[in-house]
Amino acid sequence: MQKKILLVGESWTSTSVHVKGFDQFATATWHNGATDFMAALADSDYAITYMPAHAAATEFPLTPAGLREWDAIILSDIGANTLLLHPDTWLKSERTANRLTLIHDYVAAGGALMMVGGYYSFQGINGGARYRNTAVEKVLPVRCLAWDDRIETPEGVYPSVTESHALFTDMPDEWPWLLGYNEVEMHPEGKLLATIEGTSHPLLAVREYQQGRSLVWTSDMSAHWLPQEFARWQGYRQLWINCLHWLTERGA
């Protein structure tokens, strides 16, 4: 039976103003950053449900039972505010569940959480992702910095495996380059598995938290930090399968 995975985030809308002499008009474009990930795992043992960022404000579970329906949850490029500010609270001043606390309790009780990097992961651009000192950060194998944590590397940087682990089963020895990542610090209870080559910056880390598990990949799952050379790499699919296997298989 396929395991149920909830992927949350990885979407955004951009607007442009086009000026043609005296005249101007605006356009809006919706972007899906989960395309490569969804395609790679389409025929795997994991049934991925994709919840875009704009839908998460209302559709992300508001109860412990709703979270327990999932074998693992992936937060990718979605800031804490989207989960904290349900429209009933934001627009109507009504009390709603703190979904960051619900995620913490879900992991503590045996659930699994993966956070993937991006402009609105960890602390994010201008510190706007805001996961530092939250209940979600408590379960992670890393700690968020107190400021804009993006490291842009347009020249390309390479992953460096630091420890043998099941996450690297059937993975090629040579990895493609990445174009950026979120800088974080290791939690004392986290286990560092890969860094950015030439630095001590964590790229891949895991943690056993109470009865559950957490994992972080501090670069993207898609553009712009993860280039097409990485998405087309034969290890791309295996990397995510290994991550989900470790998260959901308690004996792994």
Side-chain angles (χ1 to χ4, degrees), residues 219-231:
S219 191
D220 240 319
M221 68 163 53
S222 65
H224 79 274
W225 283 345
L226 191 143
Q228 277 298 299
E229 288 82 358
F230 202 110

PDB file of all heavy atoms in Angstrom, residues 219-231:
ATOM      1  N   SER A 219      18.568  23.181   0.503  1.00  0.00           N
ATOM      2  CA  SER A 219      18.440  23.796  -0.806  1.00  0.00           C
ATOM      3  C   SER A 219      17.023  23.530  -1.324  1.00  0.00           C
ATOM      4  O   SER A 219      16.163  23.022  -0.593  1.00  0.00           O
ATOM      5  CB  SER A 219      19.505  23.269  -1.771  1.00  0.00           C
ATOM      6  OG  SER A 219      19.527  24.038  -2.955  1.00  0.00           O
ATOM      7  N   ASP A 220      16.781  23.892  -2.567  1.00  0.00           N
ATOM      8  CA  ASP A 220      15.451  23.796  -3.167  1.00  0.00           C
ATOM      9  C   ASP A 220      15.133  22.376  -3.620  1.00  0.00           C
ATOM     10  O   ASP A 220      16.030  21.528  -3.713  1.00  0.00           O
ATOM     11  CB  ASP A 220      15.415  24.712  -4.393  1.00  0.00           C
ATOM     12  CG  ASP A 220      14.360  25.798  -4.294  1.00  0.00           C
ATOM     13  OD1 ASP A 220      13.254  25.506  -3.838  1.00  0.00           O
ATOM     14  OD2 ASP A 220      14.658  26.930  -4.695  1.00  0.00           O
ATOM     15  N   MET A 221      13.861  22.140  -3.971  1.00  0.00           N
ATOM     16  CA  MET A 221      13.501  20.937  -4.704  1.00  0.00           C
ATOM     17  C   MET A 221      13.313  21.252  -6.182  1.00  0.00           C
ATOM     18  O   MET A 221      13.048  20.363  -6.981  1.00  0.00           O
ATOM     19  CB  MET A 221      12.235  20.278  -4.141  1.00  0.00           C
ATOM     20  CG  MET A 221      10.951  21.049  -4.337  1.00  0.00           C
ATOM     21  SD  MET A 221       9.461  20.019  -4.097  1.00  0.00           S
ATOM     22  CE  MET A 221       9.720  19.298  -2.496  1.00  0.00           C
ATOM     23  N   SER A 222      13.423  22.555  -6.543  1.00  0.00           N
ATOM     24  CA  SER A 222      13.230  22.979  -7.924  1.00  0.00           C
ATOM     25  C   SER A 222      13.948  24.308  -8.126  1.00  0.00           C
ATOM     26  O   SER A 222      14.694  24.766  -7.254  1.00  0.00           O
ATOM     27  CB  SER A 222      11.735  23.114  -8.228  1.00  0.00           C
ATOM     28  OG  SER A 222      11.164  24.154  -7.451  1.00  0.00           O
ATOM     29  N   ALA A 223      13.698  24.956  -9.258  1.00  0.00           N
ATOM     30  CA  ALA A 223      14.310  26.257  -9.541  1.00  0.00           C
ATOM     31  C   ALA A 223      13.918  27.283  -8.465  1.00  0.00           C
ATOM     32  O   ALA A 223      12.828  27.188  -7.889  1.00  0.00           O
ATOM     33  CB  ALA A 223      13.834  26.742 -10.909  1.00  0.00           C
ATOM     34  N   HIS A 224      14.795  28.274  -8.076  1.00  0.00           N
ATOM     35  CA  HIS A 224      15.990  28.509  -8.858  1.00  0.00           C
ATOM     36  C   HIS A 224      17.249  27.868  -8.253  1.00  0.00           C
ATOM     37  O   HIS A 224      18.267  27.714  -8.952  1.00  0.00           O
ATOM     38  CB  HIS A 224      16.215  30.023  -9.058  1.00  0.00           C
ATOM     39  CG  HIS A 224      16.823  30.773  -7.913  1.00  0.00           C
ATOM     40  ND1 HIS A 224      16.118  31.302  -6.877  1.00  0.00           N
ATOM     41  CD2 HIS A 224      18.132  31.067  -7.641  1.00  0.00           C
ATOM     42  CE1 HIS A 224      16.919  31.904  -6.025  1.00  0.00           C
ATOM     43  NE2 HIS A 224      18.145  31.781  -6.461  1.00  0.00           N
ATOM     44  N   TRP A 225      17.241  27.522  -6.975  1.00  0.00           N
ATOM     45  CA  TRP A 225      18.455  26.977  -6.364  1.00  0.00           C
ATOM     46  C   TRP A 225      18.808  25.599  -6.890  1.00  0.00           C
ATOM     47  O   TRP A 225      19.976  25.213  -6.880  1.00  0.00           O
ATOM     48  CB  TRP A 225      18.315  26.938  -4.843  1.00  0.00           C
ATOM     49  CG  TRP A 225      18.478  28.264  -4.178  1.00  0.00           C
ATOM     50  CD1 TRP A 225      19.011  29.405  -4.721  1.00  0.00           C
ATOM     51  CD2 TRP A 225      18.124  28.588  -2.837  1.00  0.00           C
ATOM     52  NE1 TRP A 225      19.004  30.424  -3.798  1.00  0.00           N
ATOM     53  CE2 TRP A 225      18.462  29.952  -2.622  1.00  0.00           C
ATOM     54  CE3 TRP A 225      17.552  27.880  -1.790  1.00  0.00           C
ATOM     55  CZ2 TRP A 225      18.254  30.601  -1.412  1.00  0.00           C
ATOM     56  CZ3 TRP A 225      17.333  28.523  -0.582  1.00  0.00           C
ATOM     57  CH2 TRP A 225      17.685  29.871  -0.394  1.00  0.00           C
ATOM     58  N   LEU A 226      17.799  24.831  -7.291  1.00  0.00           N
ATOM     59  CA  LEU A 226      18.065  23.495  -7.822  1.00  0.00           C
ATOM     60  C   LEU A 226      17.882  23.540  -9.333  1.00  0.00           C
ATOM     61  O   LEU A 226      16.773  23.659  -9.828  1.00  0.00           O
ATOM     62  CB  LEU A 226      17.132  22.461  -7.177  1.00  0.00           C
ATOM     63  CG  LEU A 226      17.489  21.003  -7.467  1.00  0.00           C
ATOM     64  CD1 LEU A 226      17.240  20.126  -6.240  1.00  0.00           C
ATOM     65  CD2 LEU A 226      16.681  20.475  -8.641  1.00  0.00           C
ATOM     66  N   PRO A 227      18.993  23.490 -10.083  1.00  0.00           N
ATOM     67  CA  PRO A 227      18.911  23.649 -11.539  1.00  0.00           C
ATOM     68  C   PRO A 227      18.410  22.383 -12.226  1.00  0.00           C
ATOM     69  O   PRO A 227      18.315  21.314 -11.617  1.00  0.00           O
ATOM     70  CB  PRO A 227      20.365  23.947 -11.930  1.00  0.00           C
ATOM     71  CG  PRO A 227      21.167  23.222 -10.893  1.00  0.00           C
ATOM     72  CD  PRO A 227      20.371  23.314  -9.607  1.00  0.00           C
ATOM     73  N   GLN A 228      18.115  22.507 -13.505  1.00  0.00           N
ATOM     74  CA  GLN A 228      17.639  21.367 -14.275  1.00  0.00           C
ATOM     75  C   GLN A 228      18.672  20.238 -14.321  1.00  0.00           C
ATOM     76  O   GLN A 228      18.309  19.070 -14.392  1.00  0.00           O
ATOM     77  CB  GLN A 228      17.265  21.797 -15.692  1.00  0.00           C
ATOM     78  CG  GLN A 228      15.872  22.394 -15.793  1.00  0.00           C
ATOM     79  CD  GLN A 228      14.798  21.386 -15.410  1.00  0.00           C
ATOM     80  OE1 GLN A 228      14.660  20.338 -16.029  1.00  0.00           O
ATOM     81  NE2 GLN A 228      14.045  21.702 -14.367  1.00  0.00           N
ATOM     82  N   GLU A 229      19.956  20.589 -14.265  1.00  0.00           N
ATOM     83  CA  GLU A 229      20.984  19.543 -14.248  1.00  0.00           C
ATOM     84  C   GLU A 229      20.820  18.632 -13.044  1.00  0.00           C
ATOM     85  O   GLU A 229      21.108  17.436 -13.121  1.00  0.00           O
ATOM     86  CB  GLU A 229      22.382  20.185 -14.235  1.00  0.00           C
ATOM     87  CG  GLU A 229      22.794  20.817 -15.543  1.00  0.00           C
ATOM     88  CD  GLU A 229      22.239  22.218 -15.735  1.00  0.00           C
ATOM     89  OE1 GLU A 229      21.488  22.706 -14.846  1.00  0.00           O
ATOM     90  OE2 GLU A 229      22.544  22.826 -16.778  1.00  0.00           O
ATOM     91  N   PHE A 230      20.340  19.167 -11.933  1.00  0.00           N
ATOM     92  CA  PHE A 230      20.102  18.358 -10.739  1.00  0.00           C
ATOM     93  C   PHE A 230      18.784  17.584 -10.880  1.00  0.00           C
ATOM     94  O   PHE A 230      18.702  16.403 -10.546  1.00  0.00           O
ATOM     95  CB  PHE A 230      20.066  19.259  -9.499  1.00  0.00           C
ATOM     96  CG  PHE A 230      20.356  18.539  -8.208  1.00  0.00           C
ATOM     97  CD1 PHE A 230      21.544  18.762  -7.525  1.00  0.00           C
ATOM     98  CD2 PHE A 230      19.450  17.634  -7.673  1.00  0.00           C
ATOM     99  CE1 PHE A 230      21.817  18.099  -6.322  1.00  0.00           C
ATOM    100  CE2 PHE A 230      19.697  16.968  -6.480  1.00  0.00           C
ATOM    101  CZ  PHE A 230      20.891  17.200  -5.808  1.00  0.00           C
ATOM    102  N   ALA A 231      17.750  18.249 -11.378  1.00  0.00           N
ATOM    103  CA  ALA A 231      16.451  17.594 -11.511  1.00  0.00           C
ATOM    104  C   ALA A 231      16.491  16.441 -12.516  1.00  0.00           C
ATOM    105  O   ALA A 231      15.730  15.475 -12.387  1.00  0.00           O
ATOM    106  CB  ALA A 231      15.394  18.620 -11.925  1.00  0.00           C
TER     107      ALA A 231
END
